[in-house]
Amino acid sequence: MSVWLPGAPCTPRACVEARASATAVPRAVLRLAAVAALVLAGVVLTPLGGRIPAGPVKRWCRWIVRAAGVQVRITGATAPAGGLLLVANHISWMDIPLLAAVRPARMLAKSEIRRWPVAGPLAARGGVLFIDRDRLRALPGTVARIADVLRSGQAVAVFPEGSTWCGRAQGHFRRAVFQAALDAQVPVQPVHIRYRLAGGAASTAPAFVGEDSLLASMWRVVSARGLVAEVEVRDVIPPGRHLDRRALARAAQPGTTAELDWTHAALVA
């Protein structure tokens, strides 16, 4: 098993809610087109990179999620300026724009994305940091690169679970990336992402898990009614509060099993 990709028990068949009825198709198509238009606008502006102010970038990221028909609620602390390790649990493709709506950051992504047509070169031009999850020997070099970016005063966004979960269960934060924050002596900003229905019940419709395809996950989202993305920005963990990466990862872990609707055992039963 890859060091960087622990297995999650979540699968579309076991965890994900059924799609909406056919009556939702016209609305879903319009939403999908709106998301595509906003993403295309971002692609066009990619060469500008860091010259775009953070405010417009954050609004654009919110618009992507809103265009999919999902309400966005961001609560809690304000992410500080300067070097910052931004960490969150991972459920959906929407987590990426939601995390950027908290603070624009350089994303840590699997090295396979670099080889994707169109998306790979664009991600590289956009400042994405790539990690080879199958090469343990590459880990120290990756941590050192992240630390260098953090020392330069930039933010780096990471999903330390290493895998997407359905949202009714979650994985544990893997420790290695937290070493970069310790080495660079920068704060860590924990973020907890949840997806719910308007009435408050947890929803797995946005999940992007197992053998799910991106298109299938996007279609479930744009077909759904009353989805809400809740982004809880927790208090920043200042440098020096935790002296080792194990303790830092544990302190940054958003959510507890008591806050979740299902447990790992229930998913695999």
Side-chain angles (χ1 to χ4, degrees), residues 21-57:
S21 66
T23 58
V25 169
R27 181 184 65 246
V29 170
L30 288 175
R31 288 176 174 175
L32 200 58
V35 171
L38 284 167
V39 171
L40 181 59
V43 168
V44 171
L45 295 174
T46 294
L48 296 178
R51 286 176 285 175
I52 303 176
V57 173

Side-chain angles (χ1 to χ4, degrees), residues 3 29 53 61 67-68 119 124 127 130 185 213 215 217 221 231 234 236 257 262:
V3 209
V29 170
C61 291
F130 294 103
Q185 298 183 19
S213 70
L215 183 58
S217 177
V221 171
V231 182
R234 299 196 167 182
V236 71
T257 52
W262 293 348

Side-chain angles (χ1 to χ4, degrees), residues 117-169:
V118 183
L122 285 173
R125 288 168 61 190
V128 170
L129 299 168
F130 294 103
I131 182 168
D132 190 339
R133 302 168 302 170
D134 294 317
R135 293 181 58 224
L136 185 58
R137 291 181 180 179
L139 178 56
T142 301
V143 171
R145 285 195 300 275
I146 296 171
D148 286 342
V149 173
L150 294 172
R151 288 190 193 97
S152 73
Q154 300 180 65
V156 176
V158 183
F159 299 111
E161 288 169 308
S163 178
T164 50
W165 291 66
C166 70
R168 289 181 170 171

Side-chain angles (χ1 to χ4, degrees), residues 222-247:
V222 297
S223 301
R225 288 180 180 272
L227 279 180
V228 179
E230 296 182 346
V231 182
E232 180 188 0
V233 185
R234 299 196 167 182
D235 291 339
V236 71
I237 304 173
R241 177 170 294 178
H242 300 281
L243 300 180
D244 65 82
R245 61 190 184 187
R246 181 188 299 271

Side-chain angles (χ1 to χ4, degrees), residues 4-27:
W4 287 98
L5 191 58
C10 305
T11 64
R13 179 172 298 181
C15 304
V16 178
E17 298 153 14
R19 296 180 182 177
S21 66
T23 58
V25 169
R27 181 184 65 246

Side-chain angles (χ1 to χ4, degrees), residues 85-110:
L85 185 66
L86 197 63
V87 297
N89 58 309
H90 202 9
I91 300 170
S92 171
W93 54 272
M94 288 191 293
D95 300 345
I96 297 172
L98 287 171
L99 208 51
V102 172
R103 180 177 166 185
R106 296 183 65 176
M107 185 66 61
L108 184 67
K110 59 184 181 181

